[in-house]
Amino acid sequence: MSSNGPAEPRRTLTLRDVSEASGVSEMTVSRVLRNRGDVSDSTRERVLEAAKRLGYVPNKIAGALASQRVNLVAVIIPSLSNLVFPEVLSGISEELEESGLQPVFGVTNYSAEREEAVLYEMLSWRPTGVIIAGLEHSDAARAMLQNAGIPIVEIMDVDGTPVDSVVGISHKRAGLEMARAIIGAGYRRIGFLGTKMPHDHRARKRLEGFEAGLAEAGIELADSEFYSGGSALLKGREMTEAILKRSPDLDFLYYSNDMIGAGGLLYCLDKGIDVPGKLGLAGFNGVDLLDGLPRKLATMDACRREIGRRAAQIISGHSDAGLIGGEHVELTPVLEPGDTIRQG
Amino acid sequence: MSSNGPAEPRRTLTLRDVSEASGVSEMTVSRVLRNRGDVSDSTRERVLEAAKRLGYVPNKIAGALASQRVNLVAVIIPSLSNLVFPEVLSGISEELEESGLQPVFGVTNYSAEREEAVLYEMLSWRPTGVIIAGLEHSDAARAMLQNAGIPIVEIMDVDGTPVDSVVGISHKRAGLEMARAIIGAGYRRIGFLGTKMPHDHRARKRLEGFEAGLAEAGIELADSEFYSGGSALLKGREMTEAILKRSPDLDFLYYSNDMIGAGGLLYCLDKGIDVPGKLGLAGFNGVDLLDGLPRKLATMDACRREIGRRAAQIISGHSDAGLIGGEHVELTPVLEPGDTIRQG
DNA sequence: CTGAAAGCGCTAACAA
DNA sequence: TTGTTAGCGCTTTCAG
């Protein structure tokens, strides 16, 4: 053994360590490490060399406290298993990368209570901005957002009153337009299949818009079926079987998402049901999974990646300007009729 | 308008504000807000009331700097669009929730350079621990992990040398056992279909193990096909068509993930190919999507959620004890033969 | 049970 | 181009 004294508890390195190792003041070290102000090349090199040799990692906590600046963007979403949100996150990541901001994710599991807790936790890190899914929040959560004094972007949905900025689509309109397209194609006995989640406001709004669209033609929903949990593809199968057994005269099934829609499509193909002749099908989201199915399910793209991108742009734009925004971006989902709606 | 002076720039609230509003010292306010030490009920109530009324949100940056304690766990993964990682994240979230720790996610896009940058960024927030996918890191990244002085858990893979703790499965073994099962079922002309990503080390290890397993029986891979990007389900279809056109005599296809495997399965069913009689199929991961397919694809569960959970447990365990671990947890994936491998 | 003093590691502002 | 001086808002420690 070499002459190690009594186990020196290893401190984590500070600016001072780099300062001593390089013979330059802490302030100058700090400047070099942040590419700030003019520093002579020789000094810069010495500092960089020392920092690297020691393995110094700056302490952003101290930095943030001193400078009152944090390069974090809080991103709050209901779920990761939904497939929808990972895409939004990718859009956000992509866009923020360029601006030097860092997304920090929090998950609420569709619970308002949990959302409040996550939001509180994240705001206490004083992020540069907040991106949060949906327009429905508890009063306390809304108050926190309002008082945070930073740009807030509510995403996914524009049907409601945002706290600050909003980027999304109108799910009511999405439902409405789907109903019109279905009726335009001549279908009349229409069923709805969707999730039971009491807090999935967007699915609820799509259904509301859909029923409004049917009402325009004097039609009511003929039957419906709800689920929660489990493999969505399998649920789609099972629900389709159930609803067709109960209401064999249905001529269209509208699914609240593409996964259960895909399950329904596979079921119909299995059973040799004539799609779209005798039975039409449509989903929602535009997940690229659909491209690989034997037949292409009708759907409506929810513009997920684009939503993420635009939201991130709003934050990074304001983080430069220091302003709070109130931007309102409504994206327009386009009906992709695929092969499961009769063509006029 | 009321007598608003010249636009008071709204400061964010501090402990001092709550202290003044409640007539209690900052120190006592701090105690109440952290449920620390003995505080009389009446004082506690006054403080809580004032904090709530003002809408005070504590500043964790200052708190962390003063206490040298951060309740953040850095989680670094290659991708969010993979479906695999969201499940791991769910496992982590679930487990950390109980311990008061907060996961913070970073995404590397399978790039070692990006991983280094993300890691540096996250370590600069002095997290309580790090959970990072894979055992392959740049020298610099490995050095940072080693010097961080906090628990590090490398996940997904155990084939290699961890920096500290590791939780995962052996992908080599997974490939090996799949090969044995396939050969045991009597297949001999075997093709491999997978991703081309040069940095997906785990897919590579599975292939290596697979080839080793074939070699035991004196067999070589008859053909292979690689892809990158796009809808995995669709790619699975296309690749399957391509490889079967090129090598019509193949009697088994091993896919590097379930999504492309599912695409292949759908293709075979479309074409009326006798599965598993004339052609066997297998994937990898055990995604629950498979439950909804017309036939169940053979696969091997990668224990994703469990991996997340165990990794989180290691971090929260050590965050209490303040120790650094070196735990080694190897989970065992189980072959799920489904309907696409001939049964003896 | 409550308060006062000191300082966490860094950066803004100013001085040299 | 470089250094010095004060804090950032909180918690630790110790004293009442």
Side-chain angles (χ1 to χ4, degrees):
Chain A
M1 303 255 40
S2 62
S3 60
N4 280 336
E8 270 181 53
R10 200 184 43 197
R11 264 181 329 100
T12 79
L13 270 19
T14 70
L15 261 191
R16 164 174 233 115
D17 295 305
V18 182
S19 164
E20 283 169 1
S22 63
V24 174
S25 78
E26 285 184 45
M27 198 51 231
T28 300
V29 173
S30 170
R31 285 193 183 100
V32 171
L33 264 21
R34 287 176 302 143
N35 303 313
R36 263 284 209 302
D38 292 324
V39 180
S40 73
D41 283 352
S42 69
T43 310
R44 177 189 312 286
E45 261 176 58
R46 274 199 304 164
V47 169
L48 253 21
E49 186 278 329
K52 184 162 193 180
R53 181 163 46 77
L54 297 176
Y56 172 71
V57 176
N59 185 331
K60 289 229 181 200
I61 297 177
L65 183 62
S67 69
Q68 305 282 57
R69 246 162 340 180
V70 180
N71 69 336
L72 263 22
V73 175
V75 180
I76 300 177
I77 55 175
S79 159
L80 278 168
S81 45
N82 196 312
L83 196 48
V84 167
F85 295 105
E87 282 204 52
V88 177
L89 298 187
S90 295
I92 293 174
S93 281
E94 273 177 37
E95 198 66 37
L96 289 186
E97 225 164 275
E98 303 165 15
S99 62
L101 294 172
Q102 261 250 328
V104 177
F105 309 133
V107 176
T108 69
N109 293 319
Y110 287 99
S111 144
E113 198 182 334
R114 192 84 202 110
E115 178 180 90
E116 213 178 291
V118 169
L119 181 60
Y120 184 78
E121 176 73 23
M122 300 203 121
L123 285 180
S124 73
W125 286 100
R126 301 288 189 265
T128 287
V130 175
I131 297 176
I132 185 167
L135 293 163
E136 286 77 18
H137 315 290
S138 69
D139 289 344
R142 187 179 299 277
M144 282 192 262
L145 289 170
Q146 255 148 3
N147 295 328
I150 53 178
I152 309 294
V153 185
E154 289 166 279
I155 58 171
M156 310 311 285
D157 186 7
V158 302
D159 298 322
T161 309
V163 170
D164 181 12
S165 297
V166 61
V167 179
I169 65 171
S170 164
H171 288 261
K172 263 194 187 136
R173 170 157 288 278
L176 186 80
E177 301 215 327
M178 185 56 90
R180 286 177 180 162
I182 290 169
I183 287 166
Y187 298 101
R188 289 297 177 272
R189 296 280 304 162
I190 299 166
F192 176 86
L193 301 88
T195 116
K196 186 159 31 191
M197 288 227 180
H199 293 298
D200 189 341
H201 299 283
R202 292 176 286 286
R204 195 200 70 224
K205 288 173 186 175
R206 285 199 297 281
L207 178 53
E208 284 171 13
F210 189 70
E211 291 187 296
L214 296 185
E216 287 178 352
I219 295 179
E220 287 195 351
L221 217 50
D223 197 354
S224 57
E225 183 82 18
F226 298 91
Y227 82 106
S228 61
S231 158
L233 202 65
L234 180 57
K235 288 291 177 187
R237 256 176 201 281
E238 294 171 350
M239 293 163 74
T240 304
E241 175 160 26
I243 202 172
L244 288 179
K245 204 151 275 177
R246 192 169 58 227
S247 310
D249 62 333
L250 292 178
D251 64 2
F252 202 97
L253 300 178
Y254 180 38
Y255 296 86
S256 80
N257 69 63
D258 284 341
M259 271 315 235
I260 57 175
L265 173 58
L266 290 175
Y267 172 81
C268 292
L269 295 179
D270 266 15
K271 295 295 173 191
I273 296 172
D274 171 17
V275 175
K278 209 164 158 299
L279 183 67
L281 304 174
F284 178 82
N285 265 340
V287 304
D288 68 2
L289 174 99
L290 298 185
D291 294 334
L293 295 178
R295 211 162 310 171
K296 195 150 179 353
L297 183 69
T299 191
M300 221 169 215
D301 182 12
C303 314
R304 302 176 300 286
R305 185 173 295 261
E306 181 66 10
I307 286 176
R309 247 198 278 275
R310 300 294 289 271
Q313 279 168 8
I314 291 180
I315 300 288
S316 55
H318 291 306
S319 84
D320 291 344
L323 298 173
I324 297 198
E327 296 192 32
H328 188 288
V329 179
E330 177 171 351
L331 270 31
T332 309
V334 177
L335 176 67
E336 297 169 10
D339 314 313
T340 62
I341 295 184
R342 278 195 299 258
Q343 296 302 310
Chain B
M1 303 260 50
S2 62
S3 58
N4 280 337
E8 271 180 53
R10 201 184 42 197
R11 266 181 329 99
T12 78
L13 270 17
T14 70
L15 260 191
R16 166 176 230 115
D17 296 303
V18 181
S19 164
E20 283 170 1
S22 63
V24 174
S25 79
E26 285 185 44
M27 198 49 235
T28 301
V29 172
S30 170
R31 286 196 182 97
V32 171
L33 264 19
R34 287 176 299 143
N35 303 313
R36 263 287 208 300
D38 291 325
V39 180
S40 74
D41 283 352
S42 70
T43 311
R44 175 189 313 284
E45 262 178 56
R46 274 199 303 164
V47 169
L48 254 20
E49 186 277 327
K52 184 162 194 180
R53 180 163 47 76
L54 297 177
Y56 171 70
V57 176
N59 185 330
K60 288 230 181 199
I61 296 177
L65 183 61
S67 69
Q68 306 283 57
R69 251 188 303 225
V70 180
N71 69 336
L72 262 22
V73 175
V75 180
I76 299 177
I77 55 175
S79 159
L80 279 168
S81 46
N82 195 312
L83 196 49
V84 166
F85 295 105
E87 281 205 52
V88 177
L89 297 186
S90 295
I92 294 175
S93 281
E94 273 177 38
E95 197 67 36
L96 288 187
E97 225 165 273
E98 302 165 15
S99 62
L101 294 172
Q102 262 249 329
V104 176
F105 309 133
V107 176
T108 68
N109 294 318
Y110 288 99
S111 143
E113 197 182 335
R114 190 88 202 106
E115 179 180 270
E116 213 178 291
V118 169
L119 181 60
Y120 184 78
E121 177 73 22
M122 299 202 124
L123 285 180
S124 73
W125 286 99
R126 300 288 187 267
T128 288
V130 175
I131 297 176
I132 186 168
L135 293 162
E136 285 76 18
H137 315 289
S138 70
D139 289 345
R142 188 179 297 277
M144 282 191 262
L145 290 170
Q146 255 149 3
N147 295 328
I150 53 179
I152 310 294
V153 185
E154 289 166 278
I155 58 171
M156 310 310 286
D157 186 7
V158 302
D159 297 323
T161 310
V163 169
D164 181 14
S165 295
V166 61
V167 179
I169 65 171
S170 165
H171 288 260
K172 263 196 188 135
R173 169 157 289 276
L176 186 80
E177 302 216 326
M178 185 57 89
R180 286 177 179 164
I182 290 170
I183 287 166
Y187 298 100
R188 289 297 176 271
R189 296 279 306 162
I190 299 167
F192 177 85
L193 300 89
T195 118
K196 183 159 32 191
M197 290 228 179
H199 292 299
D200 189 340
H201 299 284
R202 292 177 286 287
R204 195 201 69 224
K205 289 174 185 174
R206 285 199 298 281
L207 177 53
E208 284 172 13
F210 190 69
E211 291 187 297
L214 297 185
E216 287 179 351
I219 295 180
E220 287 196 350
L221 216 50
D223 198 354
S224 57
E225 183 82 19
F226 298 91
Y227 81 107
S228 62
S231 158
L233 203 64
L234 179 57
K235 287 291 176 188
R237 254 176 204 283
E238 295 171 350
M239 294 162 72
T240 304
E241 176 161 25
I243 202 172
L244 287 180
K245 205 151 276 179
R246 191 168 57 228
S247 310
D249 62 331
L250 291 177
D251 65 3
F252 202 97
L253 301 178
Y254 180 39
Y255 296 87
S256 81
N257 69 63
D258 284 341
M259 270 318 233
I260 57 174
L265 173 58
L266 290 175
Y267 172 83
C268 292
L269 296 179
D270 266 15
K271 295 296 172 191
I273 296 172
D274 171 17
V275 175
K278 208 163 159 303
L279 182 67
L281 304 173
F284 180 82
N285 264 341
V287 304
D288 67 2
L289 174 102
L290 298 185
D291 293 334
L293 295 179
R295 212 164 307 174
K296 196 147 178 355
L297 182 70
T299 190
M300 221 169 216
D301 183 12
C303 314
R304 302 175 299 287
R305 184 173 297 261
E306 180 68 10
I307 286 176
R309 246 199 278 274
R310 299 294 288 273
Q313 279 168 8
I314 291 180
I315 300 288
S316 57
H318 291 306
S319 84
D320 292 344
L323 297 173
I324 297 196
E327 296 193 32
H328 189 288
V329 178
E330 176 171 353
L331 271 29
T332 309
V334 178
L335 175 67
E336 297 170 9
D339 313 315
T340 62
I341 296 184
R342 277 196 299 260
Q343 296 302 309

